[in-house]
Amino acid sequence: AVKAFAEGFLQAEPQIGEQLSQALQHTQQRLSSHAQQYTECYQMGATLVAVVLHASYLHWVSVGDSLLYRLSAQGELVKLNQAHTLGERFRRLYEAGTLSAQAYQQVEHPQALTSALGLQKLQEVDLNQLELMADDILLLASDGLLTLSQEEIRTILTTKRPAQPLADALMAAVLAH
């Protein structure tokens, strides 16, 4: 998925949002073709989060439940992208008032993906942008990071270390759980 996305990104139109969208479609086509050719991969899928920093703007595309966080200089940790899971889909219905609290609490398999790269058509894609501030820290991760609470993630990210030691500290905390 990473290789296909990079290939698609380099071949895409020069406008960043369009580049991200076209690279995602290229990746989807490549993975779908691979799954059709190799039956052992038929049920496989992949999640993806990709970012481009241009001037003071962050542009991103994501599918599935991979994570994109921004930690502000003030220490506020915000999840920027949407998770494409049953739990998230039903949460939106509940918040819109079209689903009762009881039905929302009884959702089975809330972590089940509602959109992923692979053989099936993409159901949901998060394509967005926002302006970054000078000291913002970005974190892109798999959903395995959700082993940690947002407070644990924030505490690790605010230790003012270079990127690799921060990544190592996050991995060590996940493994410790």
Side-chain angles (χ1 to χ4, degrees):
V2 171
K3 275 176 122 175
F5 188 86
E7 290 168 4
F9 188 80
L10 294 173
Q11 297 168 6
E13 295 295 321
Q15 197 273 335
I16 294 171
E18 196 58 33
Q19 276 182 296
L20 290 170
S21 181
Q22 288 178 14
L24 184 68
Q25 293 305 318
H26 175 81
T27 306
Q28 173 67 4
Q29 290 169 352
R30 291 279 307 276
L31 292 180
S32 180
S33 295
H34 186 84
Q36 290 172 19
Q37 185 177 0
Y38 299 97
T39 56
E40 67 272 15
C41 298
Y42 194 76
Q43 295 295 323
M44 295 177 124
T47 67
L48 180 129
V49 60
V51 301
V52 173
L53 300 172
H54 183 262
S56 63
Y57 282 86
L58 169 70
H59 304 261
W60 73 86
V61 65
S62 67
V63 173
D65 58 358
S66 292
L67 307 169
L68 174 59
Y69 283 102
R70 177 181 84 178
L71 179 72
S72 71
Q74 295 76 32
E76 181 184 13
L77 183 67
V78 177
K79 186 171 180 290
L80 298 177
N81 64 332
Q82 298 293 313
H84 304 130
T85 62
L86 277 179
E88 196 57 29
R89 183 178 284 177
F90 281 97
R91 183 191 62 77
R92 290 190 301 267
L93 291 172
Y94 170 69
E95 289 178 354
T98 59
L99 186 70
S100 71
Q102 181 182 9
Y104 175 57
Q105 292 170 353
Q106 294 176 348
V107 173
E108 291 186 27
H109 310 293
Q111 284 76 32
L113 295 176
T114 56
S115 191
L117 293 162
L119 196 56
Q120 303 298 318
K121 180 181 179 215
L122 288 175
Q123 299 297 315
E124 299 172 276
V125 172
D126 189 16
L127 180 66
N128 214 329
Q129 69 178 20
L130 67 80
E131 188 171 12
L132 290 177
M133 299 300 128
D135 291 325
D136 286 349
I137 295 173
L138 296 176
L139 173 64
L140 288 75
S142 74
D143 66 326
L145 190 68
L146 293 176
T147 304
L148 306 177
S149 70
Q150 285 210 338
E151 183 56 31
E152 289 171 304
I153 296 169
R154 190 191 69 71
T155 298
I156 292 169
L157 291 180
T158 56
T159 58
K160 304 287 186 204
R161 292 183 273 183
Q164 189 60 57
L166 283 177
D168 293 342
L170 288 166
M171 284 298 301
V174 167
L175 293 172
H177 274 264

